[in-house]
C-alpha cells in the first residue's frame, strides 16, 4: 500500500476557509496543499471532483456495547464505528464504566477488549469515577500517563447504580486539576429523582410521560449549578454533558461570565 496519497480536484474545507485545491498526504500526514500538484509513481491518486474534502470528525460522547438498566446499547464497536466512518467521523471517545472495589485498569482493559478487532476508526476513553479512595488515587497517575486517559466522568444521577456523592465529585475535580485532566458530569439531582420515581411507582403513575415528570428541569439546573460551583472551588475545569434545559444553560453561562472554566454540551435532536 502506498504511503503517499494525492486527493485532487476537490473543495477543501478547513476551520476558516473553503477553497478548491489538491492535498498531498504522506505517511498519514498532510504535507502539501496547492493547485495542480503532480503525483509520482509512488502516489495513490484520488479524484475528488464534485466532492468536499473535510477533516475527520470527532464524536466525544458515545456509548458502545455498554450495559445499563438490564440491557446493552444497540451498537457495539463494529457497527458503531463503521456507521461513524460512513458519516465522516474518524475518532470517537467512548465511556468506560467502572465498578466500586475493582481496579480502574481492569475496567479499561475490558473496554479495550470490546473494541479489539472491531473498531474501524480511532477511539479513546473517558473513565467513570464512582469512588475515591487510596486505590483510585494510586491508580490515577498511571491511568493518565500510561493509558492516555485525560477525562473523567462523574454521575450525579442514577442513584444506587452510578451516582457519586459531592465529596467524590469534589475530590475528582481536585485531582483533575493536579494532573491537568478534565472532569465531566451527568448533572441531575439523583437523590430527589430517585424519591420522585419511587413516589410515582407507588401511586401507579407508570405512563411514559412520568419519566419526564419525575425528572423536572429544575433538578438538572440545580445539579449543574452545584457541580459548577464545586469546580470553581477546586479551581478545576468542568464539562457538563447533555445539557437539556434553560436552567442548566443559565448556570453554565453565569459561571463562565465569572471567569470559570465551565463548558456545556447540549443534547442534539434531528
Amino acid at each position: 500500500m502506498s504511503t503517499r496519497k494525492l486527493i485532487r480536484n476537490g473543495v477543501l474545507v478547513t476551520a476558516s476557509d473553503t477553497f478548491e485545491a489538491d492535498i498531498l498526504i504522506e505517511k498519514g500526514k498532510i504535507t502539501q496543499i496547492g493547485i495542480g500538484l503532480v503525483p509520482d509513481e509512488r502516489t495513490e491518486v484520488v479524484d475528488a471532483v464534485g466532492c468536499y474534502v473535510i477533516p475527520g470528525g470527532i464524536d466525544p460522547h458515545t456509548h458502545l456495547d455498554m450495559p445499563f438498566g438490564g440491557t446493552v446499547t444497540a451498537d457495539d464497536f463494529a457497527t458503531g464505528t463503521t456507521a461513524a466512518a460512513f458519516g465522516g467521523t474518524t475518532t470517537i471517545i467512548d465511556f468506560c464504566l467502572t465498578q466500586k472495589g475493582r481496579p480502574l485498569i481492569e475496567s479499561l482493559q475490558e473496554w479495550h477488549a470490546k473494541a479489539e478487532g472491531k473498531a474501524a476508526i480511532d477511539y479513546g476513553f473517558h473513565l467513570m469515577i464512582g469512588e475515591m479512595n487510596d486505590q483510585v488515587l494510586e491508580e490515577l497517575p498511571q491511568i493518565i500517563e500510561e493509558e492516555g486517559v485525560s477525562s473523567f466522568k462523574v454521575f450525579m444521577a442514577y442513584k444506587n447504580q452510578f451516582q457519586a456523592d459531592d465529596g467524590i465529585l469534589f475530590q475528582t475535580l481536585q485531582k483533575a486539576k493536579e494532573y491537568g485532566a478534565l472532569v465531566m458530569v451527568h448533572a441531575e439531582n439523583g437523590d430527589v429523582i430517585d424519591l420522585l420515581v419511587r413516589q410515582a411507582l407507588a401511586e401507579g403513575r407508570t405512563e411514559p410521560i412520568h419519566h419526564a415528570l419525575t425528572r423536572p428541569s429544575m433538578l438538572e439546573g440545580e445539579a449543574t449549578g452545584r457541580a459548577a460551583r464545586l469546580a470553581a472551588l477546586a479551581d478545576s475545569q468542568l464539562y457538563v454533558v447533555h445539557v437539556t434545559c434553560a436552567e442548566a444553560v443559565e448556570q453554565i453561562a453565569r459561571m463562565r461570565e465569572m471567569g470559570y472554566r465551565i463548558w456545556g454540551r447540549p443534547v442534539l435532536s434531528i
Side-chain angles (χ1 to χ4, degrees):
M1 180 179 295
S2 174
T3 59
R4 290 167 54 92
K5 180 178 293 186
L6 177 62
I7 303 175
R8 298 196 299 187
N9 306 318
V11 177
L12 271 58
V13 179
T14 72
S16 58
D17 298 294
T18 301
F19 53 95
E20 294 183 7
D22 303 334
I23 181 169
L24 180 64
I25 302 168
E26 299 183 83
K27 296 182 178 179
K29 294 184 178 181
I30 296 171
T31 57
Q32 193 174 355
I33 295 175
I35 302 295
L37 299 184
V38 179
D40 60 20
E41 66 280 359
R42 300 173 298 153
T43 306
E44 176 188 355
V45 178
V46 177
D47 188 0
V49 64
C51 298
Y52 287 102
V53 182
I54 64 175
I58 300 173
D59 186 340
H61 191 129
T62 66
H63 296 289
L64 300 180
D65 198 5
M66 189 190 85
F68 178 68
T71 186
V72 179
T73 52
D75 280 303
D76 63 8
F77 277 84
T79 61
T81 61
T82 300
F86 270 99
T89 295
T90 57
T91 302
I92 61 168
I93 309 179
D94 201 70
F95 285 87
C96 173
L97 300 183
T98 59
Q99 297 178 20
K100 291 182 179 179
R102 182 185 184 189
L104 300 177
I105 188 64
E106 288 186 4
S107 295
L108 272 175
Q109 290 169 344
E110 178 183 350
W111 250 254
H112 275 297
K114 291 173 181 284
E116 186 176 1
K118 294 182 178 180
I121 59 176
D122 294 335
Y123 64 89
F125 295 122
H126 307 294
L127 184 66
M128 171 188 166
I129 300 294
E131 61 182 344
M132 190 60 70
N133 51 38
D134 290 343
Q135 176 179 303
V136 173
L137 291 173
E138 184 177 335
E139 278 196 273
L140 280 179
Q142 174 194 358
I143 295 296
I144 294 171
E145 296 167 10
E146 298 181 15
E147 299 297 324
V149 174
S150 60
S151 50
F152 301 103
K153 173 74 172 288
V154 178
F155 286 91
M156 302 174 76
Y158 305 124
K159 186 176 178 66
N160 300 320
Q161 291 179 289
F162 298 150
Q163 183 180 335
D165 60 32
D166 287 355
I168 292 171
L169 173 57
F170 186 66
Q171 282 187 285
T172 304
L173 288 161
Q174 288 179 316
K175 287 301 172 184
K177 180 195 175 184
E178 181 180 342
Y179 297 122
L182 175 68
V183 176
M184 56 184 62
V185 290
H186 174 142
E188 288 184 288
N189 190 315
D191 291 317
V192 177
I193 289 173
D194 180 69
L195 177 61
L196 292 175
V197 168
R198 286 188 283 112
Q199 289 175 342
L201 290 174
E203 296 169 8
R205 293 183 281 118
T206 58
E207 294 83 3
I209 186 60
H210 293 291
H211 179 85
L213 296 178
T214 55
R215 293 159 176 80
S217 59
M218 184 182 298
L219 295 183
E220 181 184 335
E222 182 277 329
T224 300
R226 179 159 38 101
R229 284 161 178 78
L230 291 176
L233 182 61
D235 190 25
S236 192
Q237 52 186 355
L238 182 73
Y239 177 37
V240 185
V241 302
H242 38 63
V243 176
T244 72
C245 62
E247 291 92 330
V249 172
E250 290 165 0
Q251 294 292 333
I252 295 168
R254 183 177 300 123
M255 296 302 287
R256 287 179 61 81
E257 288 171 359
M258 295 169 64
Y260 295 109
R261 294 171 293 166
I262 314 294
W263 298 273
R265 184 186 66 80
V267 170
L268 302 178
S269 60
I270 299 176

